[in-house]
Amino acid sequence: MTGHLDSLPAWAAWPAAALLLAGAGLTLAGSLGLLRLRGFYERLHAPTLGTSAGMACVLLASMLVFSVLQSRLVIHELLIGLLMLVTTPVTLMLIARAAIHRDRQEGADVPGQASPERREEKSKE
């Protein structure tokens, strides 16, 4: 059984593979940052950067492969990239603002930390 990717020349396959591996690695780094960082506000930053950079590499690989296979410039992926680059920071800001609002409602002096009264309540539970 032969597929369309069998006809992909090596000069296009190697950069596409490298871009896919780089994209997967950047996304993995963002996910590990989400696990390793302690505070809520620190955790917001790593996945946002990881997904944006990882997504860009994967979309570039896709553009390269399909442009070579179809013998024409394929740029549909640019729309996906544009939408991701616009929506990811907006989502980050909305989540951060909701967390700041929550922290203010709890009376925290420092974002991400509960007020002394709230810490005492949690320690009694």
Side-chain angles (χ1 to χ4, degrees):
M1 182 164 121
T2 61
H4 295 292
L5 291 179
D6 292 340
S7 62
L8 188 66
W11 64 266
W14 286 104
L19 283 167
L20 283 174
L21 288 174
L26 289 167
T27 304
L28 178 64
S31 299
L32 291 176
L34 179 65
L35 290 174
R36 298 285 298 172
L37 296 174
R38 291 193 174 106
F40 175 78
Y41 296 99
E42 294 170 351
R43 286 182 178 171
L44 283 177
H45 194 62
T48 303
L49 288 176
T51 56
S52 296
M55 172 266 317
C57 288
V58 170
L59 290 177
L60 283 173
S62 175
M63 287 174 62
L64 174 66
V65 168
F66 289 109
S67 292
V68 170
L69 289 178
Q70 295 181 7
S71 301
R72 64 180 178 89
L73 186 60
V74 177
I75 56 172
H76 300 100
E77 288 84 354
L78 291 178
L79 180 60
I80 297 169
L82 178 69
L83 292 174
M84 286 290 291
L85 287 175
V86 169
T87 57
T88 300
V90 171
T91 304
L92 168 74
M93 287 189 300
L94 289 173
I95 291 172
R97 285 184 181 186
I100 289 171
H101 180 72
R102 180 201 62 208
D103 290 343
R104 286 183 181 159
Q105 291 293 325
E106 290 179 356
D109 295 331
V110 178
Q113 295 181 356
S115 64
E117 297 85 17
R118 181 77 175 141
R119 276 185 254 151
E120 288 176 10
E121 291 174 12
K122 285 186 176 182
S123 65
K124 290 179 184 177
E125 294 175 352

